[in-house]
Amino acid sequence: MAEFKIHSDYRPTGDQPQAIAALTEGVKKGFKHQVLLGVTGSGKTEVFLRTIRHVLDGGRGVIMMVPEISLTPQMIDRFRRYFGGRVAVLHSGLSMTERLDEWKRIKNGGASIVVGTRSAVFAPMENIGLIVIDEEQEGTYKSEMSPRYHARDVARFRAAQEGALLLLASATPSVESFYRAREGRYELLTLKNS
């Protein structure tokens, strides 16, 4: 597998090195839940990118979910700059042909990273090492149409099946996730500054 590099001279600062270390350790341990608490501008995306690079270097795949289609192009652009053509996209804004092409590419191993909205949790990826749900408290992760599901619950199931790390990230995590982190059932990581 090709080596992926972060194409910048940026060095993690503040709380980022500790968060990256905890996440990469979590990836090594397998199925685990971690909550990354970080306000806008705290450097969550940089932490995601470096953790994802670690997962890819280990030969495993990543599902990266964002709450809205409008956020997807920004994330995809940044991910493609770092990881090239190994990034696939899944969301309802794509035509049926585009979705089918991406689905086949993922299924055939042509993509190591899937970026998308809640439906990305169903990507036909094998050997998943990390599932990230950014802004995990958002209501858009809950499908009100049949079949009804919550992407966070499906992600939890898939992470358990694959022995993957589930990372719930937010500036304001859901009450459930924050409670579980405070109780010690999830590991809580905090980014106070960048």
Side-chain angles (χ1 to χ4, degrees):
M1 179 170 286
E3 184 178 328
F4 299 98
K5 295 186 171 146
I6 304 296
H7 300 296
S8 75
D9 295 328
Y10 178 82
R11 298 282 174 244
T13 60
D15 299 316
Q16 291 174 332
Q18 293 85 0
I20 294 165
L23 290 169
T24 56
E25 187 61 30
V27 168
K28 289 179 196 169
K29 290 181 179 175
F31 177 59
K32 186 175 183 177
H33 294 82
Q34 289 177 304
V35 175
L36 180 63
L37 179 62
V39 297
T40 303
S42 63
K44 286 191 311 259
T45 303
E46 191 68 30
V47 171
F48 297 157
L49 293 169
R50 290 175 187 270
T51 305
I52 289 168
R53 180 177 62 186
H54 174 79
V55 173
L56 297 177
D57 288 346
R60 300 188 77 189
V62 175
I63 296 176
M64 173 77 208
M65 295 191 300
V66 294
E68 298 175 27
I69 294 172
S70 63
L71 298 175
T72 309
Q74 300 162 356
M75 190 69 75
I76 292 165
D77 180 55
R78 189 146 185 209
F79 274 50
R80 284 191 172 148
R81 278 188 280 137
Y82 294 150
F83 303 114
R86 303 294 291 177
V87 178
V89 181
L90 287 177
H91 61 72
S92 61
L94 301 175
S95 71
M96 288 299 273
T97 303
E98 290 170 322
R99 275 188 268 180
L100 180 59
D101 288 345
E102 290 292 77
W103 190 267
K104 287 179 183 175
R105 194 160 72 89
I106 297 162
K107 180 80 173 149
N108 295 330
S112 304
I113 304 169
V114 176
V115 178
T117 53
R118 73 174 170 250
S119 61
V121 76
F122 296 109
M125 180 178 277
E126 296 179 14
N127 197 21
I128 300 168
L130 173 66
I131 301 175
V132 179
I133 305 179
D134 194 21
E135 300 304 332
E136 64 95 15
Q137 81 288 353
E138 289 292 331
T140 55
Y141 287 119
K142 195 174 194 179
S143 174
E144 297 298 336
M145 298 186 315
S146 185
R148 289 186 167 93
Y149 68 94
H150 197 303
R152 187 177 57 220
D153 297 334
V154 176
R156 188 177 297 121
F157 177 80
R158 287 204 71 186
Q161 293 293 104
E162 295 281 345
L165 173 66
L166 175 60
L167 176 59
L168 306 170
S170 180
T172 55
S174 68
V175 172
E176 301 97 320
S177 297
F178 191 69
Y179 175 78
R180 289 177 178 141
R182 294 293 298 254
E183 291 291 303
R185 291 166 50 194
Y186 294 177
E187 182 179 1
L188 180 62
L189 308 170
T190 305
L191 295 177
K192 297 186 185 83
N193 50 49
S194 58

